[in-house]
Amino acid sequence: MGLHILAIATEITRALEEIAWQSGEYSRFRRDTHISNPAFQTLYSRWLHHVLADGLVWVGTTEDKKTGGMLAFEARDHETASIALLVVAPTVRRQYLGQCLVYTARQEARNRGCTELRVVTQGANLSAQRFYEHCGFGLLHTERYYHLWL
């Protein structure tokens, strides 16, 4: 199955939501036993709507027009842009869609005059860490987040 096209998303579809949910496999919200799966999905869907309203979302589709991956891009200032979310469906991994999406984000950051492109990933997500290192990213710092339930 080859890749067909990259396009900018203009609306949130069920396929985009579902692939965004897949990206949360290592999310601290997915792994928190106090947060149900429906609550996690609602959280990620709201976040996806927010990113689409304030940033860019590129979608990679396969030859059969199925959503194969997506990248959410944000540029909060004129110096730093970020990859807010990157996910590639398991069926199309290792077909360069992820690299293509990262390249597109790099170009967008340059076009906006940004001098830095950042991405955050979970420490437990070793495959994502290796992928980002392969794409030229390096570890800037480590942060720990804790949820306090009252």
Side-chain angles (χ1 to χ4, degrees):
M1 181 182 305
L3 299 175
H4 182 63
I5 192 167
L6 280 185
I8 294 176
T10 57
E11 64 183 356
I12 303 301
T13 63
R14 183 68 174 184
L16 274 182
E17 283 184 320
E18 288 175 357
I19 202 161
W21 300 336
Q22 286 178 25
S23 75
E25 176 183 354
Y26 292 95
S27 165
R28 62 191 167 107
F29 302 109
R30 169 86 61 149
R31 292 176 172 254
D32 188 323
T33 57
H34 290 90
I35 300 175
S36 68
N37 192 55
F40 163 81
Q41 289 178 345
T42 298
L43 178 69
Y44 259 54
S45 293
R46 285 183 185 165
W47 176 80
L48 188 57
H49 282 269
H50 170 76
V51 171
L52 188 60
D54 292 342
L56 287 172
V57 176
W58 285 283
V59 179
T61 58
T62 60
E63 289 174 348
D64 58 357
K65 310 264 192 265
K66 292 185 180 175
T67 300
M70 64 169 280
L71 183 143
F73 174 92
E74 296 176 307
R76 299 202 187 274
D77 56 47
H78 295 293
E79 294 179 14
T80 305
S82 65
I83 295 173
L85 177 68
L86 171 63
V87 60
V88 176
T91 56
V92 293
R93 289 185 184 152
R94 303 206 179 277
Q95 296 181 30
Y96 302 103
L97 176 57
Q99 290 176 339
C100 183
L101 288 163
V102 168
Y103 175 80
T104 301
R106 275 199 173 116
Q107 288 302 114
E108 183 67 25
R110 283 188 191 113
N111 292 345
R112 291 175 182 238
C114 296
T115 57
E116 189 172 43
L117 179 64
R118 291 185 179 187
V119 64
V120 173
T121 192
Q122 303 298 320
N125 194 346
L126 298 177
S127 61
Q129 290 178 36
R130 283 190 297 274
F131 169 78
Y132 289 124
E133 288 171 359
H134 178 77
C135 289
F137 290 88
L139 179 63
L140 184 61
H141 66 272
T142 302
E143 292 182 25
R144 297 195 184 276
Y145 289 94
Y146 299 94
H147 296 171
L148 175 63
W149 297 100
L150 303 174

